[in-house]
Amino acid sequence: MNRLDSFGIYFDETSSTFLLQTEKASYVMSVVNGYLGHVYFGKKLGYYPGKSVLRGSEYTYVSGKPGDKCTFMDGYPFEYSISGTGDFRTPALKIKNSDGFTGGELKYKSHKIYDGKKGVQGLPATFGSEKDTKSLEILLTDDVLGLEVTLKYSIFEGIDAVVRSVHIENKSDKEDGTFYIEKVMSSSFSLTCSNHEVITLHGSWARERIPDRRKIGHGRTSISSTRGISSHQEHPFMAVVSPDAGEDSGDVYGVSFIYSGNFLGEIERTQHDELRINMGIADDNFSWELKNGQSFDAPEAVLTYSGEGLGRMTHSFHRLFTDHLIRSPYLHKKRPVLINNWEATYFDFNEERLLQIARVAKEAGIEMLVMDDGWFGHRDSDNSSLGDWTVYRKKLPDGVDGLCRKINEIGLEMGIWFEPEMISPDSELYRAHPDYAIAIPGRPASECRNQFVLDLTRKEVRDCVYEQVAEILRSSNIRYVKWDMNRPLTDVGSLTTRGGEFHHRYMLAVYELQERLITEFPDLLLENCTSGGGRFDPGMLYYSPQFWCSDDTDAIERLYIQEGTALIYPPSTIGAHVSICPNHIVGRTTSLSTRGYVALAGTFGYEMDITKFSEEERAEIKKQVEMYHSLNPLVREGTYYRISSCSGLTKGNEKNKSFAWMNVSSDKKEALLTHVQERGGANERSVVLKLKGLSEDAVYKLSDGRSFTGDELMKIGFVTDKIYGDGASKLYHFIAE
Ligand code: DGJ
């Protein structure tokens, strides 16, 4: 037998078995009695496996005896399950016919395997070339409904990930064969082990993406958002892990979703102690009408496998998102060091105030001023003017273009804030078009932050807001846009869009608007933001290379938030700024240098009134900017490793007192170690950190002249300098001799 080790997608005719081979993982499906079953996902196999785990022969139904189909339907590990005909586990697909009855059966029809990968109509999607990407499409059908389901799989050379999506088509030949998709998961697979745990990222406003690790009990465990955004509270990500999984060992199955709206991630531990793991659009309030000839595309989900713990999972996501998802021309570029006026002035600014900040910022080496909320309509607080993207002359007498010219004369670039998806009740737009706001006809909608959400599912509404935003950008030399979004969707109703379709059509509209923006302004640096990181997800990264990570800019809180975010998102995507102390959100004071090191782990920038800083502090900021210029290429392009953490991501680490992480260049010649002591303690010694990703044989030097072999640093460890106090920190830059 020939081994099938190389990267590729294989099909064995005799056993009807599919084998997807990535760098170190295999994904296997096979057909029993026409039903596609999930055989395996895990450590790489060398050959096609048998399909005994599908237990075909144990079912009398499969052996041709009548009467026991239900047992089969409820026990078979369907690759893509459908409800209503005996499978009582949580389904991947639920279709209701025009009489309101739910039921279907999906049988394998055909498949195709090809090089490269197709996009998904109207949705963010991974991409790949014919050289490094292979795809598989499997067609399943239900002849009674006239339903065609195409399961799509893509794999990428060098990355242990399988990207999946689903295309549903109504091919009914009945006169009115309309049916309704009541639930459509983008991925579903089964695991035969029962003792796994799950890690999810939970949070709140200003406390996003905090790891939560727990056992998976019987029944259903789920995470979801029904807020119309992927949300601060739960995140479209799950890692199903073996109980022993740590940073470098154990089985880790990562599941992520390339989507920014309502989602559902669920795990069902069945009566037979198997796991069914689903990820897709939330079925709550979802019902998509599909008439004869119509089709629906589900967003892409990403599955990763690591047999070497959480670290390898992180690297798979980072590589996939960097090489196959983010399209921005800024992806591999140093982003301009910006200063944002939000925490400096909030709404209380005018042209002169911004110019003062710009002048001092310029002296410190800062490269861009971003004018945040409050420059339009008559906005002096959060209670007016969203939807009126015309300049507030009281604050900016010479307009945005006038301010931009003056900022450019100082030697800085300019960026601007918009919240294009919103409308204030106190706005010209609302007075002229109250129906532009999302509301259930006849029911007053709930205000949140004194604002409503625009019904972007209507083309005239999209055009109206797009033209206003584009006009500002067309008429001034703006190089950066912060696209904010500050409330969830409630009271969902529309003059034109069906209820069960609204949330998804809203997301399609947001994606369309952002696509229009980056198409018309290809050089624009777009940063997304949703009251901080409420929509920081792979979907938005398709349009913008960075996302404002959190409104909590406190350096210590950020250790948790940024570690949780970097669990799957590359450092180059994590919007991070140095801000004022005591911190406005938590009231904590942390040294300027620690604030700088923590911001360096992301995109880096400032968010403070620099004019109020002392000469010494400004000089320190100047040094930080220089540090950013010299170290950002390593942070942005290097491989990220968690070295020490207090987050509970790996068992028992909550007892640690410090966070440490590394960024290592791809040739392993350069490495940056950041060590932040969250809490100081009495009679403590320096910490020994086992470094990662280095070359064993290389000798690494620090700027103080000390040198170490990579072998020593990784096996014995690096003894940090003793640092004193809460939030104390130190940076170590290792360079191979
Ligand atoms: C929420 C954002 O996260 C902040 O950075 C700021 O832009 C405000 N909105 C402005 O209203």
Side-chain angles (χ1 to χ4, degrees), residues 465-685:
V465 69
Y466 181 79
E467 274 312 310
Q468 290 192 63
V469 169
E471 203 33 53
I472 296 283
L473 301 181
R474 286 177 199 134
S475 58
S476 50
N477 184 27
I478 303 259
R479 310 304 297 268
Y480 160 109
V481 162
K482 178 175 174 186
W483 179 306
D484 204 349
M485 198 282 185
N486 283 305
R487 62 156 289 175
L489 272 57
T490 63
D491 308 274
V492 167
S494 169
L495 293 185
T496 53
T497 303
R498 280 189 69 243
E501 298 180 9
F502 188 90
H503 281 100
H504 184 57
R505 289 198 188 277
Y506 181 86
M507 269 334 300
L508 293 174
V510 172
Y511 291 144
E512 189 213 273
L513 280 174
Q514 296 218 345
E515 187 71 38
R516 258 160 102 172
L517 191 72
I518 57 172
T519 306
E520 182 174 347
F521 305 98
D523 297 328
L524 191 72
L525 172 56
L526 180 61
E527 174 156 358
N528 267 292
C529 171
T530 300
S531 305
R535 206 165 54 182
F536 192 143
D537 54 57
M540 298 316 287
L541 292 181
Y542 187 64
Y543 304 91
S544 62
Q546 59 195 61
F547 209 109
W548 181 229
C549 183
S550 176
D551 275 348
D552 190 343
T553 50
D554 173 73
I556 300 303
E557 295 285 297
R558 277 286 185 130
L559 294 172
Y560 290 87
I561 298 169
Q562 291 182 192
E563 185 193 90
T565 306
L567 187 60
I568 48 175
Y569 302 106
S572 69
T573 64
I574 299 177
H577 296 167
V578 176
S579 70
I580 190 83
C581 277
N583 180 270
H584 290 185
I585 302 286
V586 296
R588 185 185 279 123
T589 295
T590 317
S591 71
L592 189 51
S593 63
T594 294
R595 282 177 271 158
Y597 296 158
V598 174
L600 182 69
T603 56
F604 196 76
Y606 291 87
E607 181 126 358
M608 53 164 66
D609 188 350
I610 194 171
T611 63
K612 299 206 173 111
F613 275 55
S614 66
E615 282 301 324
E616 295 78 60
E617 285 169 323
R618 289 184 204 174
E620 192 175 341
I621 289 175
K622 198 167 183 178
K623 288 218 173 90
Q624 284 184 341
V625 172
E626 285 160 14
M627 167 188 78
Y628 163 79
H629 283 300
S630 85
L631 294 176
N632 174 262
L634 181 54
V635 173
R636 194 188 65 235
E637 304 293 328
T639 308
Y640 162 86
Y641 293 90
R642 285 175 294 276
I643 303 298
S644 171
S645 163
C646 323
S647 70
L649 186 60
T650 51
K651 284 190 177 153
N653 81 3
E654 311 84 300
K655 297 202 176 76
N656 288 352
K657 289 196 170 151
S658 44
F659 280 84
W661 62 91
M662 287 179 76
N663 308 89
V664 182
S665 64
S666 56
D667 61 6
K668 303 186 176 200
K669 290 199 165 140
E670 221 188 322
L672 185 69
L673 169 69
T674 310
H675 175 221
V676 185
Q677 174 171 282
E678 189 194 348
R679 277 168 298 135
N683 194 17
E684 299 271 347
R685 301 197 304 175

